[in-house]
Amino acid sequence: MSLTSAATLATLDRTGPRRITDLAAVEGVTQPAMTALVRVMEESGLVERRGDPSDKRVTLVGLTEAGASYVRTRRQAGVHAFERLIGELTGDEVETLVAALPALKHLAELESQDREGLKQRPGSRSAGSR
């Protein structure tokens, strides 16, 4: 699976169903590229298109149970990899890592806000400039 596919699934898991145009902006790809990506993930059973209850003209893309399961499995694999690697650190290194966790969490929040803000800011980077 491509990084963009995995990132799109993670975005849908984190934010819930989204318009294709929103997904394209958040993931930094063109709308036609996101449409093609969604089609492939839909054929794989990872996402589904559904109507927006608040606006019948809008189609949203959401995770299927298989897509949500894929995201959970991938995250768990990452957790296991970090657990194994952290187990190889010295006690001082683990303490340093624990002390850095609040800053790392803040960085992740800022990155998430930045990604979400790309679709809302006029003059934000175009899909091809990432």
Side-chain angles (χ1 to χ4, degrees):
M1 174 172 293
S2 73
L3 289 176
T4 304
S5 297
T8 301
L9 292 175
T11 295
L12 291 170
D13 184 60
R14 190 175 61 254
T15 66
R18 305 283 293 260
R19 294 177 181 211
I20 287 179
T21 54
D22 291 345
L23 286 171
V26 169
E27 302 306 333
V29 299
T30 64
Q31 183 176 348
M34 182 55 68
T35 299
L37 182 65
V38 165
R39 187 177 317 112
V40 169
M41 291 191 300
E42 191 174 26
E43 290 168 358
S44 299
L46 300 172
V47 300
E48 64 186 359
R49 296 174 201 237
R50 53 182 91 133
D52 184 344
S54 64
D55 186 344
K56 300 298 182 197
R57 300 168 297 171
V58 174
T59 299
L60 300 175
V61 177
L63 287 179
T64 61
E65 182 51 44
S69 177
Y70 177 84
V71 172
R72 284 190 302 272
T73 300
R74 188 173 166 106
R75 282 190 182 134
Q76 194 59 42
V79 167
H80 289 309
F82 272 111
E83 285 175 343
R84 184 183 59 76
L85 293 172
I86 289 170
E88 296 180 21
L89 298 176
T90 67
D92 287 344
E93 290 170 327
V94 171
E95 286 180 26
T96 301
L97 189 57
V98 169
L101 287 175
L104 292 171
K105 181 179 178 193
H106 187 216
L107 279 174
E109 291 166 354
L110 290 172
E111 190 273 340
S112 179
Q113 290 170 4
D114 185 56
R115 286 170 57 98
E116 291 298 313
L118 283 176
K119 71 178 180 74
Q120 298 170 357
R121 280 184 262 156
S124 65
R125 289 178 278 176
S126 67
S129 65
R130 267 193 161 193

